Amino acid sequence: MLGLTLQTILLIPLLFFGSLSLCNSLPLSTSARWVVDTASGRRVKLSCVNWVAHMEPMVAEGLDKKPLQDIASKVASLGFNCVRLTWATYMFTRTLPVNFTVARSLNSLGLGKAVLGIASNNPTLLNLTILQAYDAVVDELGASGLMVVLDNHVSRPKWCCGADDGNGFFGDTYFDPEEWLQGLNIVANRFSGKSQVVGMSIRNELRGPNQTETDWYRYIRRGVKEVHNANPDVLVIVSGLNYDTDLRFLKGSSLGVDLDDKLVYEVHWYSFSGINRQVWKTQSPGLVCADAIGSIEDRAGFLMQGENPVPLFISEFGVDQTGENLADNRFLSCFLAFAVERNMDCAVWALQGSYYLRNGQAGSEETYGVLDGNWDQTRNPNFQERFRLMQEIIQDPKSDNPKYHIIFHPLSGRCARVNENNSVEASDCQDRNRWSYEGGQGPIRLLGTDLCLSVNGDGLPVTLSSNCSSEQSSWSMVSRSKLHVAAMDAEGRSLCLDNNPSNSSTILTNKCVCSEDDTTNCEENPQNKWFKLIPTNL
């Protein structure tokens, strides 16, 4: 009877989860901290990938590797529902001959191999102008059911972003504010008839020695009005200072512009954002994670809270997808715990596995790319499982359903479930169970049953017990990062949930390491013991 009940609980309809991102109408608006579709007020989660088109060739990357339709289909198949597509101001403001085609642009840079690749994979694009080719990319993304956020990445087409590259702040060598406003107006008007274009990010990573809050307010106010007046349907997405890591100045003075529920703020977060990335390798990762989360909350997260919350879009985050960078690996587990818990709108950097030309090198690969250098498959074979829960709507402001929890393991991207043998395991989050937890120190109950998680012993699999009042079934968060879930065993030892590194489907309990009270043994992989209780009302 028990097995039959658990089997029923395990059957989460996949079509339900798949449909959550497909039932939206456009355009989009905002409601408190959420992005919603304007017609129904239903939440829409931006689950995006960045696709670069702002570099010297001014052509979306990868069109020499795969047909455009295949790339768009691949994006959708990976669980994304939108693309943050970059553009450079000069693409639209500098007069180009009518015959400045994709072929001519690439040939002018000595990229004959890329020309041959596009001729093979996308022959109809080769003789289009660079703007027509950009239009074609936007159109194909829409045809594939994907939303598009147009991101003004730089003024002069080039790799971004150096503090002294002339593209950093208003008034820099290549960043004329009036030309920037002109570009925003042109792009907002050009794409106003395309419903798939749901937002415009008006400038990427403001930075450099010339940045001031005074000029930020002066020009950002003009920029958001320029876009909103030209296309009142799109979300207007605004970045802060210091490489889009700092919006604290808004605590003292709001932007003060009424955009009819179209204003969204954005923030970027990498392992190196605001800190030396080496600390992820040299210091207790749990404490570094706690500090990093506290910092992002202070610098930007506050916008989602308080009396007048607004949406905050993490429009860039990313890691080395080869898995060979320890700092990035630890950062990513921390990031996923944060972003999934708050069910934030996010855009991973980046789609492209290679570039036509980057910093003078033709055909260079992007290790942060979701796709490999040939654009055939994901660079990380576990990408979809790792990022699946982050892409999903798990919190809905219009839902009247009671809250419950998902037990999430950010290192693997897996979730706790009870299998057909009534054992607790880490499984693809599509097959997760629902758990209740009231906070503090108490039981973690399997909803629909009278069972709860229980410690069985050091190094032994966690079990289900009907004695939910015992110490072995009384769980709490024992670290400042809130990533260690612990209970006492029969001998009075504090043991943490642990995903068995030798058998990744098994959830054990082991001695807690790298927590607030025990910073020793951090050369062990602490991420195995990082679990997060994710609230959901769906």
Side-chain angles (χ1 to χ4, degrees):
M1 195 64 190
L2 173 61
L4 197 62
T5 303
L6 294 180
Q7 187 177 19
T8 303
I9 293 168
L10 286 170
L11 293 176
I12 298 176
L14 301 187
L15 286 177
F16 169 75
F17 290 111
S19 68
L20 286 176
S21 63
L22 302 176
C23 300
N24 309 312
S25 59
L26 303 175
L28 304 181
S29 296
T30 66
S31 177
R33 63 149 288 196
W34 310 102
V35 174
V36 300
D37 76 55
T38 302
S40 69
R42 282 188 53 152
R43 186 183 171 198
V44 176
K45 186 180 191 301
L46 298 177
S47 180
C48 311
V49 64
N50 283 271
W51 188 2
V52 160
H54 69 269
M55 304 276 268
E56 285 94 332
M58 297 176 283
V59 178
E61 304 291 341
L63 298 176
D64 59 333
K65 302 290 187 179
K66 297 293 175 186
L68 173 56
Q69 185 176 15
D70 289 1
I71 296 174
S73 296
K74 186 69 171 179
V75 171
S77 74
L78 291 173
F80 298 108
N81 64 12
C82 84
V83 167
R84 183 177 181 249
L85 185 65
T86 67
W87 59 279
T89 301
Y90 287 11
M91 288 169 58
F92 294 90
T93 58
R94 299 290 168 116
T95 301
L96 297 173
V98 70
N99 64 342
F100 195 85
T101 62
V102 170
R104 182 175 176 185
S105 177
L106 293 168
N107 280 321
S108 71
L109 296 165
L111 300 174
K113 185 176 179 181
V115 172
L116 293 175
I118 294 180
S120 175
N121 288 290
N122 293 283
T124 60
L125 299 182
L126 200 58
N127 292 316
L128 296 182
T129 68
I130 58 171
L131 297 189
Q132 289 170 335
Y134 193 87
D135 293 343
V137 171
V138 172
D139 290 344
E140 187 57 49
L141 292 173
S144 297
L146 295 162
M147 297 179 286
V148 181
V149 172
L150 301 177
D151 165 58
N152 178 230
H153 212 71
V154 290
S155 291
R156 180 187 180 186
K158 62 181 298 185
W159 176 249
C160 177
C161 302
D164 58 354
D165 65 0
N167 273 300
F169 199 70
F170 307 106
D172 284 359
T173 304
Y174 308 115
F175 194 171
D176 173 42
E178 299 304 321
E179 185 175 14
W180 169 72
L181 291 167
Q182 178 191 3
L184 291 178
N185 180 276
I186 291 170
V187 172
N189 276 294
R190 186 181 187 93
F191 295 99
S192 63
K194 299 183 185 295
S195 61
Q196 72 268 34
V197 177
V198 298
M200 284 185 59
S201 178
I202 65 173
R203 189 65 178 199
N204 177 73
E205 295 198 355
L206 294 166
R207 61 196 180 276
N210 298 322
Q211 61 183 332
T212 67
E213 292 177 13
T214 299
D215 283 340
W216 185 91
Y217 280 103
R218 176 189 304 162
Y219 292 116
I220 292 297
R221 283 170 176 156
R222 292 181 64 188
V224 297
K225 290 177 182 177
E226 193 76 44
V227 171
H228 189 60
N229 290 338
N231 185 354
D233 284 336
V234 296
L235 300 173
V236 184
I237 304 170
V238 174
S239 66
L241 297 174
N242 297 315
Y243 290 87
D244 199 6
T245 64
D246 195 351
L247 288 154
R248 285 175 294 183
F249 47 88
L250 289 170
K251 295 177 182 179
S253 178
S254 70
L255 185 59
V257 177
D258 183 7
L259 291 188
D260 305 314
D261 297 323
K262 297 292 184 180
L263 179 63
V264 174
Y265 288 98
E266 63 181 323
V267 66
H268 292 177
W269 196 13
Y270 294 91
S271 62
F272 48 81
S273 295
I275 62 172
N276 183 339
R277 72 191 310 169
Q278 292 300 108
V279 300
W280 289 100
K281 296 193 290 187
T282 60
Q283 299 181 21
S284 175
L287 298 181
V288 175
C289 178
D291 289 342
I293 289 174
S295 178
I296 198 76
E297 292 277 34
D298 176 56
R299 290 182 283 114
F302 69 91
L303 289 163
M304 300 183 292
Q305 305 163 10
E307 295 181 2
N308 298 297
V310 292
L312 181 65
F313 176 33
I314 304 180
S315 58
E316 279 188 32
F317 77 94
V319 295
D320 182 344
Q321 293 286 344
T322 67
E324 296 177 0
N325 187 306
L326 178 59
D328 274 4
N329 294 344
R330 291 178 171 179
F331 160 75
L332 180 58
S333 293
C334 177
F335 173 86
L336 289 174
F338 172 85
V340 172
E341 182 183 32
R342 289 155 180 79
N343 204 206
M344 295 187 68
D345 302 288
C346 294
V348 64
W349 184 274
L351 175 66
Q352 61 275 359
S354 63
Y355 296 93
Y356 305 120
L357 183 70
R358 174 177 166 179
N359 293 333
Q361 181 180 346
S364 63
E365 291 206 13
E366 173 59 272
T367 58
Y368 275 46
V370 171
L371 299 180
D372 63 15
N374 293 321
W375 294 61
D376 286 323
Q377 55 193 359
T378 56
R379 194 175 292 272
N380 176 356
N382 299 318
F383 176 85
Q384 286 186 272
E385 185 175 64
R386 185 82 188 272
F387 288 84
R388 191 186 310 281
L389 194 59
M390 189 198 71
Q391 295 176 323
E392 191 179 303
I393 292 178
I394 56 176
Q395 295 171 13
D396 183 355
K398 294 180 76 70
S399 172
D400 295 324
N401 294 320
K403 183 180 75 173
Y404 62 92
H405 288 86
I406 302 163
I407 302 177
F408 177 58
H409 186 245
L411 174 63
S412 64
R414 294 183 169 193
C415 296
R417 74 155 199 161
V418 180
N419 64 23
E420 61 275 7
N421 298 318
N422 300 334
S423 298
V424 183
E425 65 179 8
S427 178
D428 191 300
C429 284
Q430 292 180 111
D431 302 323
R432 63 184 180 252
N433 280 131
R434 298 180 298 164
W435 307 84
S436 69
Y437 175 65
E438 300 300 325
Q441 189 161 352
I444 299 175
R445 300 177 184 272
L446 177 64
L447 285 186
T449 76
D450 60 356
L451 303 175
C452 55
L453 285 184
S454 182
V455 171
N456 199 29
D458 191 7
L460 297 177
V462 68
T463 62
L464 290 172
S465 172
S466 58
N467 184 5
C468 295
S469 60
S470 69
E471 277 198 340
Q472 289 93 327
S473 300
S474 184
W475 300 86
S476 61
M477 310 300 124
V478 295
S479 62
R480 193 153 58 89
S481 65
K482 307 300 182 186
L483 287 170
H484 293 82
V485 184
M488 294 287 186
D489 70 359
E491 299 178 22
R493 297 173 297 185
S494 180
L495 302 180
C496 282
L497 293 180
D498 189 357
N499 191 211
N500 187 356
S502 62
N503 182 357
S504 60
S505 65
T506 304
I507 299 178
L508 311 172
T509 52
N510 271 315
K511 184 177 183 293
C512 301
V513 297
C514 302
S515 64
E516 181 178 19
D517 300 321
D518 183 1
T519 58
T520 61
N521 300 322
C522 281
E523 291 184 3
E524 268 187 58
N525 186 352
Q527 301 168 89
N528 284 323
K529 293 183 174 65
W530 286 0
F531 284 82
K532 195 72 177 178
L533 290 168
I534 305 296
T536 176
N537 63 353
L538 288 174

